[in-house]
């Protein structure tokens, strides 16, 4: 297994391989870039079949966090960790505690948050041995409501703000009343996004593989149920994929009827060139890592103790970032995903040029 010459290596600053035979812990922590601050990213537990699979995943995800946090103008770098194992069978308190001890050994260069296969209670168990875990504090959230650390409400709100910016740019309207939106995936983020849209007067179509999730939006928000086959291809203004990645691909792009794609799911483009394919069809794509940054913004401020108003203002700025991306895309003729990458690189490379994260910022969030 190659490391430095791995195709996804991309000059990662640091990789740690943790092994604790007593508890069965096998984990990798990847820190891509800390020029803006300590690396914050989820800790994923998944039954990878090979070490190579785990390494590829952690490298790809960690780099993605550098771009997401830089684009959101957060004093955070990018990192991620993976625990190799089946979370339903192999997760134990002892294993999570061992992970916490290892994280403590990294001295705050990497801060773990929940991800698929781990939960807030799991992070709290790790937190018995380290302060370098996030997304676990009970506090008043950005919306003035009690929060248990779950970033989904902020992600949903940020996606709503980003969707509005996309609609303003592409369709030239600020008023969402009567806007037709199709949402794929009515989970933690999708349902809340649907509620924001409903409150703004939009008409909704929804689909979820779990009928009860879809029914809740039908009953509580007056949404219309759609099918798995139709949800992305309805004659609506906006499609909001909030379930899984790679839904924008060779098969789906030619069939889209919406003029805007703005959803929270990660890695929406199956391949990088699907960015151009959307532009060629005249569809405005709100890059996923720009529009879904509300959660990381919320987790960042959990560690600084900021007021709800500060957090909300920062999430609101997702709209400005997207507008900048759309404007640059129009001016340069290049697709929005490429512009978002470029803007993120500008934002973390500027800090690299000034030298690595200053200790004050590390102390503030670490
Ligand atoms: P979730 O698991 O609560 O919701 C996902 C929903 O999608 C579930 O209701 C599930 O049944 C449904 N679903 C799964 N496959 C589907 C399919 N093929 N068609 C339709 N529906 C399907 O997850 P979430 O927290 O709401 O996150 C949604 C997406 O947003 C994920 O891609 C996640 O990575 C991304 N995201 C979430 C956050 C956050 O703060 N929760 C932050 C950034 C990105």
């Amino acid at each position: 297994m190659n490391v430095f010459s791995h195709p996804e290596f991309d000059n990662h600053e640091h990789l740690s391989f943790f092994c604790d035979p007593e508890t069965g812990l096998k984990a990798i922590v990847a820190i891509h870039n800390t020029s803006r601050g300590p690396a914050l990213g989820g800790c994923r537990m998944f039954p990878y079949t090979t070490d190579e699979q785990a390494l590829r995943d952690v490298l790809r995800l960690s780099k993605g966090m550098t771009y997401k946090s830089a684009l959101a103008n957060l004093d955070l770098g990018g990192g991620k960790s993976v625990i190799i194992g089946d979370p339903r069978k192999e997760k134990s308190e002892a294993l999570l505690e061992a992970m916490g001890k290892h994280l403590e050994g990294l001295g705050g260069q990497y801060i773990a948050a929940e991800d698929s296969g781990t939960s807030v209670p799991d992070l709290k168990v790790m937190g018995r041995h380290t302060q370098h875990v996030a997304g676990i504090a009970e506090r008043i959230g950005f919306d003035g409501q009690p929060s248990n650390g779950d970033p989904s409400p902020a992600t949903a709100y940020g996606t709503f703000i980003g969707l509005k910016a996309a609609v303003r740019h592409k369709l030239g309207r600020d008023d969402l009343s009567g806007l037709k939106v199709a949402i794929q995936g009515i989970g933690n983020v999708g349902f809340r996004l649907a509620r924001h849209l409903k409150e703004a007067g939009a008409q909704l179509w929804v689909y979820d593989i779990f009928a009860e999730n879809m029914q809740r939006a039908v009953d509580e928000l007056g949404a219309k149920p759609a099918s798995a086959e139709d949800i992305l291809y309805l004659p609506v203004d906006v499609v909001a994929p909030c379930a899984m990645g790679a839904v924008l691909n060779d098969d789906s792009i030619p069939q889209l009827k919406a003029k805007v794609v703005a959803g929270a799911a990660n890695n929406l483009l199956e391949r990088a060139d699907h960015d151009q394919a959307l532009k060629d069809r005249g569809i405005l794509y709100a890059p996923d890592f720009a529009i879904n940054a509300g959660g990381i913004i919320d987790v960042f401020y959990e560690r600084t103790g900021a007021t709800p108003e500060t957090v909300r203002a920062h999430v609101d700025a997702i709209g400005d970032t997207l507008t900048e991306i759309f404007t640059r895309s129009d001016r340069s003729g290049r697709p929005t995903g490429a512009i978002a990458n470029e803007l993120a690189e500008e934002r973390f490379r500027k800090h690299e040029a000034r030298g690595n994260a200053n200790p004050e910022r590390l102390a503030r969030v670490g």
Side-chain angles (χ1 to χ4, degrees):
M1 185 171 72
N2 292 328
V3 176
F4 291 111
S5 55
H6 192 284
E8 306 284 350
F9 186 69
D10 192 59
N11 295 319
H12 264 73
E13 285 177 14
H14 180 109
L15 274 178
S16 309
F17 293 82
F18 294 155
C19 178
D20 184 59
E22 258 177 50
T23 61
L25 175 70
K26 277 194 268 170
I28 312 175
V29 177
I31 298 175
H32 177 249
N33 187 295
T34 57
S35 64
R36 293 187 67 97
L40 197 153
C43 172
R44 179 171 285 193
M45 184 164 185
F46 188 80
Y48 297 100
T49 47
T50 63
D51 296 349
E52 161 62 25
Q53 247 186 23
L55 178 66
R56 183 175 180 280
D57 210 27
V58 79
L59 289 172
R60 221 173 34 87
L61 294 166
S62 148
K63 176 180 172 184
M65 291 309 297
T66 300
Y67 280 68
K68 184 184 290 201
S69 289
L71 196 56
N73 273 319
L74 291 170
D75 288 344
L76 287 176
K80 202 89 179 183
S81 56
V82 294
I83 298 176
I84 299 170
D86 185 336
R88 284 164 306 176
K89 298 186 195 137
E90 292 164 84
K91 194 158 68 181
S92 65
E93 287 213 358
L95 178 142
L96 295 168
E97 287 201 22
M99 184 69 181
K101 286 178 193 162
H102 282 299
L103 294 180
E104 182 62 15
L106 294 177
Q109 282 187 79
Y110 167 69
I111 301 160
E114 64 179 301
D115 205 284
S116 55
T118 62
S119 61
V120 170
D122 295 340
L123 269 292
K124 286 186 173 168
V125 174
M126 291 181 202
R128 290 175 193 161
H129 299 280
T130 181
Q131 56 168 323
H132 308 305
V133 287
I136 57 171
E138 291 182 10
R139 68 198 220 274
I140 297 299
F142 75 99
D143 50 4
Q145 302 296 315
S147 161
N148 63 358
D150 175 6
S152 307
T155 302
Y157 176 66
T159 305
F160 172 65
I161 293 296
L163 187 152
K164 282 208 297 190
V167 166
R168 189 179 308 120
H169 192 84
K170 184 72 186 176
L171 307 176
R173 53 186 285 189
D174 278 318
D175 179 7
L176 301 195
S177 87
L179 186 84
K180 297 186 169 89
V181 185
I183 308 178
Q184 181 188 49
I186 310 298
N188 283 317
V189 176
F191 183 81
R192 291 180 169 95
L193 172 65
R195 199 166 47 202
H196 286 300
L197 287 163
K198 168 77 182 170
E199 283 163 10
Q203 294 181 59
L204 304 174
W205 282 260
V206 291
Y207 173 70
D208 195 290
I209 44 169
F210 285 111
E212 63 269 31
N213 289 6
M214 181 158 74
Q215 197 56 43
R216 188 176 164 216
V218 172
D219 294 344
E220 294 182 25
L221 305 175
K224 298 187 180 70
S227 68
E229 294 72 31
D230 288 351
I231 188 72
L232 296 177
Y233 312 128
L234 294 170
V236 292
D237 300 302
V238 181
V239 164
C242 295
M244 69 237 171
V247 296
L248 301 173
N249 51 43
D250 288 341
D251 180 47
S252 66
I253 292 172
Q255 300 185 64
L256 293 171
K257 297 192 184 67
K259 285 283 169 224
V260 173
V261 178
N266 280 313
N267 303 321
L268 281 174
L269 304 174
E270 189 176 67
R271 288 194 317 269
D273 63 333
H274 288 126
D275 192 17
Q276 182 66 49
L278 287 161
K279 182 159 179 52
D280 291 344
R281 284 220 48 222
I283 297 168
L284 184 66
Y285 163 58
D288 45 23
F289 67 102
I291 197 169
N292 71 17
I296 187 85
I297 294 170
D298 188 55
V299 170
F300 169 80
Y301 282 110
E302 171 192 299
R303 303 180 66 79
T304 69
T307 63
E309 292 73 26
T310 303
V311 185
R312 193 182 185 100
H314 203 139
V315 179
D316 280 330
I318 288 175
D320 303 330
T321 295
L322 280 167
T323 300
E324 182 173 354
I325 290 167
F326 300 150
T327 309
R328 277 200 199 190
S329 168
D330 290 347
R331 242 191 273 131
S332 65
R334 293 170 50 237
T336 53
I339 300 288
N341 283 332
E342 189 178 278
L343 190 56
E345 283 164 10
E346 280 171 21
R347 291 180 179 179
F348 70 81
R349 299 239 155 94
K350 193 169 66 191
H351 284 252
E352 268 174 356
R354 281 196 216 135
N356 254 16
N358 72 48
E360 240 171 62
R361 273 192 287 127
L362 281 170
R364 194 142 54 83
V365 297

